[in-house]
Amino acid sequence: MPIIEVSGLTKTYRVPVKGEGLGGSIRSLWSREYKDVEAVRDISFQIDSGERVGFLGPNGAGKTTTLKMLSGLLHPTSGRVTVAGFTPQDRVVAFLSSITLVMGQKQQLLWDLPPRESFALNRAMYGVDPVRYARTLDSLVTMLRIEAVLEKPVRNLSLGERMKCELVAALLHEPSVLFLDEPTIGLDVEMQVQVRKFIHDYNHDTGATVILTSHYMQDIAALTPRLLIIDRGSLRYDGKLTSLAERVAPERRIVVKGGPSELGELGFQRVEGDMVASLSPEGTNQLLSRVLARWPMVEVSVESPPLEEVMARYFREAT
C-alpha cells in the first residue's frame, strides 16, 4: 500500500532578472523584472510502505526541492502530495512525528553539549514516553556502536561520530518515513559502510520507508533496489536499479587480477594493474574458458559495469 503518493508535483520560483552592469543594477531598484524558473515539473510517483528508494539526478535537478516538499518544508506550486496519509505542507504534529529528514550537511545536535542532552531535548519536543525513549535510544546506540561518545561535547566528535549521533537524534521518535539527503557525505569509506549497514538494518527491523539521495553510488547500489531519476525538474526514470543497468550497460567485464600482458591477444586491456575485457553476456563464458585454459592459476572475476558508469551513460543518452 502506498505511503507516499505524488501527482503532478510542480515547484516554480519567481526570480528577479537584473540587467548588465551598473546601469542594470540601478534600474532594478525602481523597476525589477522577473522570470519563472521551474525547479520541479509535473512529477508523479508512488512509494509503498517499507520500500528503499534511491532518488538520483545531477546537481540542480530538483532532488532536494522535492524532498523538502515531501517533508513539508516547501509548498508546491501545484500538484498533490500525501505522505503517511497527511498533506505535508499542513505540518500537523502527527505528520511531523511520522517522518524525519536527515541532511548530511546540516546538523541538529547542540555543538557545546554531549549528544545525550540533544537526544533528551528531542524526546521532550516529540513528547516521546520516557520508557519508550530509553528502549529506542539503547537500541540505536547499540546498532551504531556509539556508547563511548554519548557524554563527549559534540564539538569534540569526529565527522563520522557526529553523523551517527545525527541519525540517532532523527530516529528517536521512531518515524515511519525517512528522507535521507546525502547521509554519508564527507565520511571515510569505513564509516560509509557502517552507516549503510545501519540504514539497511533499520529498514529491515522496523519496516520504515527510506528515500535516499546520494552522490555516492555505493550507497545507492547497497541500499535501494528501486530508482527515481530526476533531471532538469522532470522525472526521467522510475524502476528497478537492475533493469536500468541491464538496459544502459548490458555488457560484462572479465577482470584478471594482475594478469599477464599476453591477455592483450584476447582483447584485454591493462587497467590499474589488472587486465580487463568488456564483452556481451553471451560471449563471457567462451572468453573465460579460453583464459583459464591458458592461465589456469590466475585470479579472475566477472563483473557488471560500476553504477557510476551506468549513470554517466544514462545522463549522456538523455541529453
Side-chain angles (χ1 to χ4, degrees), residues 231-244:
D231 188 16
R232 286 167 285 188
S234 295
L235 190 64
R236 305 293 185 182
Y237 180 81
D238 179 359
K240 292 182 178 180
L241 169 60
T242 52
S243 299
L244 180 69

Side-chain angles (χ1 to χ4, degrees), residues 94-129:
F95 166 71
L96 297 176
S97 297
S98 70
I99 71 159
T100 196
L101 172 62
V102 178
M103 306 183 75
Q105 300 185 56
K106 306 289 184 181
Q107 73 170 40
Q108 59 179 312
L109 301 174
L110 299 173
W111 191 247
D112 293 316
L113 298 179
R116 189 183 292 278
E117 296 194 31
S118 290
F119 300 159
L121 179 60
N122 277 22
R123 184 207 71 77
M125 287 193 302
Y126 282 101
V128 180
D129 175 78

Side-chain angles (χ1 to χ4, degrees), residues 248-298:
V248 175
E251 73 272 14
R252 297 292 180 268
R253 293 180 173 183
I254 298 179
V255 180
V256 182
K257 190 72 173 176
S261 299
E262 289 79 4
L263 282 165
E265 301 169 10
L266 301 180
F268 283 78
Q269 294 183 337
R270 182 74 64 184
V271 179
E272 297 182 355
D274 300 329
M275 295 298 285
V276 180
S278 296
L279 66 166
S280 68
E282 294 77 15
T284 301
N285 288 339
Q286 182 179 358
L287 181 57
L288 191 60
S289 297
R290 293 178 65 186
V291 170
L292 293 176
R294 290 184 60 180
W295 297 279
M297 301 302 292
V298 296

Side-chain angles (χ1 to χ4, degrees), residues 9-11 68-83 86-92 95-96 99:
L9 186 64
T10 297
K11 180 62 178 178
K68 287 182 176 180
M69 286 190 284
L70 293 179
S71 60
L73 293 176
L74 289 177
H75 289 206
T77 304
S78 62
R80 179 176 176 272
V81 183
T82 59
V83 177
F86 300 96
T87 300
Q89 67 197 60
D90 293 343
R91 303 285 287 176
V92 299
F95 166 71
L96 297 176
I99 71 159

Side-chain angles (χ1 to χ4, degrees), residues 1 5 10 34 66 69 90 116 137 166 199 208 233 240 247 269 315 318:
M1 180 178 178
E5 297 184 85
T10 297
Y34 294 87
T66 301
M69 286 190 284
D90 293 343
R116 189 183 292 278
L137 179 59
E166 290 285 350
I199 294 170
K240 292 182 178 180
R247 191 188 86 195
Q269 294 183 337
F315 286 115

Side-chain angles (χ1 to χ4, degrees), residues 153-164:
V154 168
R155 66 175 181 272
N156 292 340
L157 304 184
S158 70
L159 177 60
E161 290 169 341
R162 290 203 305 272
M163 191 64 234
K164 287 183 175 183

Side-chain angles (χ1 to χ4, degrees), residues 288-314:
L288 191 60
S289 297
R290 293 178 65 186
V291 170
L292 293 176
R294 290 184 60 180
W295 297 279
M297 301 302 292
V298 296
E299 181 181 344
V300 61
S301 62
V302 179
E303 306 172 354
S304 297
L307 186 55
E308 289 88 345
E309 184 171 324
V310 173
M311 296 308 303
R313 289 191 197 179
Y314 176 83

